[in-house]
Amino acid sequence: MKFIPIVTLILSLMLNSISVFAQELGEHPRLFTNKQDRTELLNKIKNEDWAKASWDVLLSEIDSYVDRHVNNPDWIVSRLAMYWKKGEHYTQCYIKKQNWDYGKGNAPIPTVRLPGMRIWNDYLNVPLEDRLPYNETGDMFGISRSSRDKTPILIPYKETGHMIAKNNTEILKLAEKAAFAYYITQEEKYAKFSADIMWTWLLGTYYMEPPLDPKESAGGPGGYEPGGILGYYDYEVIHDNRQIPMAITYDFLFDYLNKNPHEHLELINKKLVDVAGIVFKRFIEIGLVRGGKNGNWNVNRYKNILGSMLVLESNNFYDDGKGREYFIPYYTEKSGEHYAGLPEIMGNYNKTTGLWPESPGYASGMIPFVLDMGIKLYKVGINTLKGNSIIRKAAMANLGWLDARGNLVVFGDMRGGPANMSSFESLLTYSTWEGDTETAIKMATVIRKNIASGHYDRNSSNWQGIVFNQVLPESGSDLPFHKTAYSPFHRHIIMKNGNDDNNGLMFTLYGGKYKSHLGKNGLAMQFYGKGWSLAPDASAYESYWSSDAGYHRGITGSNTIIPGYQNGDITINAMDPYVDTTAGFYNKSETSENISFTDVSADEKRRLVAMVRTSETTGYYVDVFRSDQLDNDYIHHNLGNSVTLNSGANESLKIIAVDDLGTKYNKNYSFFKNQKKIIHTDDFNATWVINTVSPALHVNMWMMGQDNRELYLVDAPPTTLRSDVTPGQVNKSPESTPTLIVRQNNINGKEHPFVAVFESYETDEKSIQEISKIQTSKNFVSISVKSKNSKQFICNAIDDKVYKPTKGLKFQGVFGITSEKNNQFQYLYLGKGKLLQKGKFKIEAVKETITAELKFEEGAYYYSSDNPVLISIGKGKAKEYPAGYHIEIK
């Protein structure tokens, strides 16, 4: 008689619990978009060409795999790197010396394989089609990056570097893309493909505890304890990013996964949200206590875990009360012992320059992450971008690191290559949402410039771009141009004359800085031609642990003098155009349209680099490098397929092969190969030719002769691993880089400096015809440079004396140039000096030193000066003029 009421009560309780469960579950998707946004996205794909093209690209990347999955569902899943072997479905891995040591435990299903090593190796995975299915050993077939032999080699699991992680990331991202395709099309084949990968990863991760590190080789014990650098599923918390595509996949497939649960859930009496909540919370909670709170590690940690936070349910859904609202403030508001939230992150940016305190590769990567996270949070009602002006300033500051081609300058730990456009896309999105037309137009200008230069293809936007990117408003495509950019923190100066690929001139000069992903690279210089860094810093090491990393990251991979200064403060002796670093990153005025120079000291070294334009299409660089020690190696790396040495009269110099370089001032000299040598004390020319492009590119280096000198040509390591930072991929790994070493023995390099002139040009377009020494002394050098239709006398001194190197020429200062064009006066230029006179033309300081120019242009004389100046023209008496720029003399 009592049976029916009890059954009714049980059913009623079950229905109520189901109802409560349904009420507590939030709506998905929510991470990038929601169900209501789908119609708008369909219209965007239909009506916007770039969105339609991007959608087509996405389908081309996944359709072959998805279609095969319909009849062969094991194929893609079997290529995940898992602990597939029965009896060895490990649940606990152990770390030794920051690499995988062994595993314990046996889960009821295969668990996800931990990467074999913290460090990189030399190998790339073979194509997905060629990888071993159900690979029980973890050994991976790889193709060497550095070898010309591309035959796949089987790499043991414990030596696979990041191959395991990259394998799984590739497959998980296919699942992510297919999940988005399901959201758009509602075709079940995409959901099934994505879900099968998702379930395998989710359950295989659920059974795995975070690795333990008994000897604390990674700075902590691992497991769930704070400290050290280990992530939940990687040796570095900043690389613990497989959760990113999986949080996205989970979000898009949420309803499908709940309707089609994995059979294993019933065996363990768990729901999808239970297992997912446990897994994503492990990533979050471990992510918050590892890696430290400084630098890019901190930002990368949040980039990895924010999606995991946002796909969680509300606090009241979980027994521990830790849901979405609980975790989000750990980014937006809070800071703790091991992590620093957004307020502290933005405090790292220099308020004056807008720059992040690390090398450009890292600096340019941080603000896109902050903006990307800001856009996602905006979608859930949290605006972290409003009123945070430093974010926009930081995004725009990264433009200062770009060369004419739109590539980032290479110094410190970085590869170069095009700037990341996601910052500007995110700011365009945000400003469009907020109705900020002015900012939207500025962002559109940057985007259009990079499209026009070939560095950015909006038609290949990823699916996130399809969701977030906006219609470009009407705008120009010319970016703000600055002749000088200087960051004291980075000890780095960029100077430009023109900003187009074909005719722009540019050089960089910088000092060494240890840490902050910068390098102990001495007082180093690079210069550009045809939009390329033709005398680049080397950056072809695979990882920080590679045997050649010391060469590439240190002084031997830079254009500088060894031994001596590598790291430490620099002093700007003179700079024009000048940057007031208390006010910004760029110059506010310029003295000359033809001349830029900077003179920098660091310990016993002092280097002056100048850029001289001789026409709209020609120009050259002057390098005067002093080193206050007796023995010096001037090292110059230059792009080229070949290099030749000629005398000052352009007669071939006969160099001979030698066994070694004799003296080795640095252990990384061992990377210089195929040494050839000549003893030569007169002027000489070195010419590099890049014939991988047409017309061929040439770089000619003239160097003034000096006693006690030996010249070495060597094969240096490759310049880059990238395919887009050298013309025709010249000197890309594994191709060596032709390098010149100019050695002076037992002769002081301060009193007898290295004086060089560099010109880049295409075949048959050389402009300079003759370079010669005029006069030198202990503290002074002067040379003449004759081009096709102009001639310059160039002076440099490190004292305050008046020099008279040739008839009619007087000079007192740091740097001076007199120029004649077609045998007629063109200009006088004085860089931080007191006097420069050529014949009847003279500029002279009234009291303080001046940086000034007097020029003749279109029938009139003009002057520029940063302080009052005395000017003489012809036989008239000198007249005083006030400071000012480009002022006509009446």
Side-chain angles (χ1 to χ4, degrees), residues 89-93 103-107 111 207-210:
H89 300 158
Y90 298 133
T91 58
Q92 182 68 68
C93 287
K104 282 186 175 181
N106 184 38
T111 49
Y207 279 105
M208 180 69 82
E209 295 295 320

Side-chain angles (χ1 to χ4, degrees), residues 347-461:
N348 285 319
Y349 283 90
N350 185 289
K351 299 300 185 293
T352 302
T353 66
L355 295 174
W356 179 263
E358 293 184 288
S359 69
Y362 284 86
S364 62
M366 294 304 98
I367 202 66
F369 295 153
V370 170
L371 284 162
D372 181 68
M373 289 186 283
I375 293 297
K376 291 172 185 172
L377 287 164
Y378 189 98
K379 289 289 290 183
V380 297
I382 302 170
N383 192 345
T384 59
L385 306 181
K386 189 177 183 64
N388 213 338
S389 61
I390 189 65
I391 293 179
R392 185 175 126 183
K393 186 169 189 175
M396 297 301 287
N398 285 318
L399 297 176
W401 295 125
L402 301 182
D403 60 31
R405 197 170 288 275
N407 283 324
L408 285 165
V409 293
V410 175
F411 69 100
D413 295 335
M414 60 178 301
R415 306 287 187 208
N420 189 339
M421 281 297 102
S422 69
S423 292
F424 308 103
E425 289 283 14
S426 292
L427 280 170
L428 172 63
T429 299
Y430 175 70
S431 57
T432 301
W433 288 346
E434 289 283 287
D436 180 357
T437 304
E438 180 183 354
T439 299
I441 291 172
K442 288 182 179 179
M443 297 307 107
T445 299
V446 177
I447 292 167
R448 281 198 168 92
K449 170 65 175 178
N450 279 267
I451 292 172
S453 65
H455 281 300
Y456 181 51
D457 183 4
R458 226 179 183 223
N459 292 333
S460 296
S461 301

Side-chain angles (χ1 to χ4, degrees), residues 64-309:
S64 62
Y65 297 110
V66 171
D67 290 342
R68 173 164 44 198
H69 194 76
V70 173
N71 297 314
N72 187 3
D74 291 339
W75 192 92
I76 191 68
V77 172
S78 71
R79 279 156 175 77
L80 281 165
M82 310 280 290
Y83 295 111
W84 290 108
K85 189 174 182 179
K86 290 183 178 180
E88 296 181 6
H89 300 158
Y90 298 133
T91 58
Q92 182 68 68
C93 287
Y94 292 83
I95 306 305
K96 183 178 181 181
K97 296 181 179 179
Q98 299 190 11
N99 291 323
W100 192 84
D101 190 21
Y102 64 94
K104 282 186 175 181
N106 184 38
I109 57 175
T111 49
V112 179
R113 188 176 288 274
L114 195 71
M117 307 166 73
R118 177 190 177 190
I119 66 175
W120 284 257
N121 65 5
D122 181 45
Y123 295 92
L124 295 167
N125 285 314
V126 296
L128 193 53
E129 282 72 14
D130 298 332
R131 292 177 212 166
L132 298 172
Y134 296 115
N135 182 346
E136 294 186 349
T137 66
D139 302 344
M140 301 287 287
F141 278 106
I143 299 170
S144 172
R145 288 181 174 88
S146 62
S147 173
R148 296 183 188 278
D149 184 358
K150 300 304 179 183
T151 305
I153 299 170
L154 189 64
I155 312 300
Y157 172 39
K158 289 190 176 185
E159 299 174 16
T160 52
H162 288 209
M163 295 170 73
I164 297 291
K166 288 182 179 298
N167 174 85
N168 284 353
T169 298
E170 182 179 350
I171 296 171
L172 299 183
K173 288 189 76 64
L174 288 173
E176 169 198 300
K177 293 172 185 177
F180 176 71
Y182 171 66
Y183 165 77
I184 292 294
T185 67
Q186 296 296 291
E187 290 187 45
E188 188 168 344
K189 67 176 183 178
Y190 292 113
K192 182 66 167 61
F193 172 84
S194 185
D196 286 351
I197 297 171
M198 174 76 198
W199 284 122
T200 307
W201 177 87
L202 182 65
L203 292 168
T205 304
Y206 169 76
Y207 279 105
M208 180 69 82
E209 295 295 320
L212 295 173
D213 187 5
K215 299 290 186 180
E216 299 193 9
S217 64
Y224 294 98
E225 296 300 315
I229 62 173
L230 288 173
Y232 173 29
Y233 237 90
D234 204 282
Y235 299 90
E236 296 183 7
V237 68
I238 59 169
H239 292 147
D240 205 6
N241 56 11
R242 267 72 76 201
Q243 61 183 299
I244 296 177
M246 287 296 90
I248 295 166
T249 301
Y250 172 79
D251 193 42
F252 278 127
L253 293 186
F254 186 80
D255 291 344
Y256 180 88
L257 293 170
N258 275 300
K259 292 176 182 176
N260 299 276
H262 194 282
E263 59 188 14
H264 191 75
L265 292 180
E266 187 175 352
L267 293 175
I268 59 175
N269 195 29
K270 296 283 185 183
K271 297 182 179 66
L272 166 68
V273 285
D274 299 329
V275 173
I278 290 169
V279 168
F280 289 128
K281 285 186 188 181
R282 286 176 186 166
F283 279 109
I284 297 167
E285 291 176 339
I286 291 173
L288 286 170
V289 297
R290 302 279 172 78
K293 59 191 294 183
N294 298 316
N296 72 86
W297 281 68
N298 184 60
V299 181
N300 274 287
R301 154 231 317 287
Y302 287 114
K303 177 260 295 182
N304 290 340
I305 64 177
L306 185 70
S308 296
M309 293 178 178

